[in-house]
Amino acid sequence: MKFKTMFTRRGAGVLALGASLALSLVAATATASYADDAALTRLQKQGFARIAIANEPPWTSVSSDGKVSGAAPDVARAVLQKLGVKDIVASISEYGAMIPGLQAHRFDMVAAGLFIKPQRCAAVLFSEPDLCDAESFMVKKGNPMKLMSYADIAANHAKVGVVGGGTEEKLAIEAGVLRSDVIVAPDGLSGVKMLQDGRIDVFALPILSISSLMKQANDPNLEMYAPVKNTPIYCAGVAFPKQDRALRDAYDKVLAQMKADGEFAKIIEPYGYSAEAAMETSREKLCGGPN
Ligand code: 6CS
C-alpha cells in the first residue's frame, strides 16, 4: 500500500507535478506566444483596438456624436490601420488609472498623451515618442500670486488644480505643495470652473491643453502662464502591456515609416504639435534606458 500509494502518491504526485508542469509550460509558452505575436493577430481578428484616452483636447477628444479624435488617437488609428486593425474603440480614463487598466487588460493600449517617464517605463512598454509639450498654468488675469513655478505654489500655499494621477500632481507634491493644497479636477473644463469660482488659485496642465481650455472658456479674467519654470519638455508615447512586445515593435516600425514619409507630421501639426520635437528624442532617452 505504502509503496504503491507513495509511488502512486509520489508517482501520482510526480505525474501530477509532471503533468501540471507540462501544462503550465504549454500554457506559459501559449500565453507567451499569444502574448507575444498573437496580440496583433487578436486585434486584427477583433477588428479594433481598445484604447484609453483622457478627453483632454488636443491630445484626445470625444465629440457629442461619440467620435474619438485628438492627435494621439489619430496617430494610433493611422498606425493600426497599416497593421490591419481597422478601428479603435476608446474609453475615458483618469491618467492615474491608465496603467493599472492596461495591466488588467481593460484596454489594449493607451493613446492619450501619456508622458514617457522612467517610473512608467518600469510598468508598461512605450512606443517611440509621438507628442511633446511643455507645462503651463492657468491663473486669474495679472497672475496675482505671481505663480511661475511649483515652488511658487508651495511658497504661497496656493491651491493648485490637477488631473488625477497626472504629471502635474507629481510635480506639485515633489515641489513641496501640501497634499491638502493639491485639488484633483475630473477634467479640464471642471478645472477651469474651479479656478473661476476661486476654489483653486491655479490650474496646471500642458501648454496645448491650457491653450485649448482658454479658447473654450473665452474668459478675459483668465490668463495662461508658460512655460512653467524648472519643468522639462515632456514627450508622450502609446503604452502597451509589458507582454505585448511584438505588438509594440510592430507599431514602432510603422510609426518610424510615417515619421520618415511625413504622414506623422501631417496628422499632428494641425493640432499644434511639432513632429521634429518627437523625432529629436527617443524612448530610450525618456525612459533612462531600454524599455
Ligand atoms: O501623462 C501625463 O501625466 C500628462 N499628459 C497629458 C497629456 N496631460 C496631463 C497629464 O498629466
Side-chain angles (χ1 to χ4, degrees), residues 56 59 95 112-115 117 120 135 163 165-168 205-206 209:
E56 184 184 316
W59 306 82
Y95 285 95
L114 191 69
F115 293 159
K117 301 191 287 183
R120 291 173 172 173
E135 289 292 327
V163 289
T167 296
E168 298 75 22
L205 276 175
S209 312

Side-chain angles (χ1 to χ4, degrees), residues 126-193:
F126 275 103
S127 70
E128 287 294 338
D130 51 18
L131 306 172
C132 304
D133 198 359
E135 289 292 327
S136 69
F137 290 158
M138 185 187 280
V139 291
K140 287 282 177 66
K141 186 145 192 60
N143 198 353
M145 300 173 90
K146 297 286 168 267
L147 304 174
M148 296 180 264
S149 68
Y150 283 93
D152 291 341
I153 295 175
N156 290 274
H157 293 297
K159 288 198 177 312
V160 55
V162 296
V163 289
T167 296
E168 298 75 22
E169 182 175 9
K170 206 158 178 295
L171 289 169
I173 298 297
E174 285 168 356
V177 178
L178 300 176
R179 172 47 76 184
S180 55
D181 288 336
V182 178
I183 317 293
V184 172
D187 56 39
L189 290 176
S190 315
V192 174
K193 185 92 179 54

Side-chain angles (χ1 to χ4, degrees), residues 17-255:
L17 178 62
S20 65
L21 198 57
L23 270 175
S24 53
L25 273 175
V26 171
T29 37
T31 316
S33 66
Y34 169 82
D36 230 355
D37 54 27
L40 180 53
T41 316
R42 180 170 48 82
L43 297 182
Q44 288 164 338
K45 282 206 187 98
Q46 183 170 285
F48 60 86
R50 297 165 305 156
I51 67 167
I53 64 169
N55 201 7
E56 184 184 316
W59 306 82
T60 54
S61 68
V62 185
S63 55
S64 49
D65 62 358
K67 188 170 178 325
V68 175
S69 68
D74 286 4
V75 171
R77 185 188 286 114
V79 173
L80 288 166
Q81 281 173 351
K82 290 179 177 38
L83 289 171
V85 182
K86 291 197 197 62
D87 207 349
I88 56 172
V89 171
S91 43
I92 296 177
S93 166
E94 225 190 34
Y95 285 95
M98 289 175 180
I99 290 180
L102 206 54
Q103 292 166 329
H105 298 286
R106 278 200 295 281
F107 332 114
D108 298 309
M109 53 188 78
V110 174
L114 191 69
F115 293 159
I116 303 174
K117 301 191 287 183
Q119 197 184 353
R120 291 173 172 173
C121 298
V124 295
L125 298 177
F126 275 103
S127 70
E128 287 294 338
D130 51 18
L131 306 172
C132 304
D133 198 359
E135 289 292 327
S136 69
F137 290 158
M138 185 187 280
V139 291
K140 287 282 177 66
K141 186 145 192 60
N143 198 353
M145 300 173 90
K146 297 286 168 267
L147 304 174
M148 296 180 264
S149 68
Y150 283 93
D152 291 341
I153 295 175
N156 290 274
H157 293 297
K159 288 198 177 312
V160 55
V162 296
V163 289
T167 296
E168 298 75 22
E169 182 175 9
K170 206 158 178 295
L171 289 169
I173 298 297
E174 285 168 356
V177 178
L178 300 176
R179 172 47 76 184
S180 55
D181 288 336
V182 178
I183 317 293
V184 172
D187 56 39
L189 290 176
S190 315
V192 174
K193 185 92 179 54
M194 291 157 81
L195 180 61
Q196 289 167 322
D197 297 350
R199 283 184 287 146
I200 56 176
D201 304 300
V202 51
F203 185 44
L205 276 175
I207 292 179
L208 287 165
S209 312
I210 294 288
S211 312
S212 167
L213 288 168
M214 289 292 292
K215 273 197 215 91
Q216 287 178 61
N218 188 22
D219 178 346
N221 302 316
L222 300 175
E223 72 181 39
M224 176 163 82
Y225 174 81
V228 172
K229 287 187 176 154
N230 311 324
T231 60
I233 289 179
Y234 290 101
C235 293
V238 169
F240 301 84
K242 271 282 183 203
Q243 68 268 31
D244 290 354
R245 187 170 291 279
L247 173 60
R248 188 280 304 271
D249 295 349
Y251 187 98
D252 269 349
K253 224 157 148 210
V254 173
L255 180 62

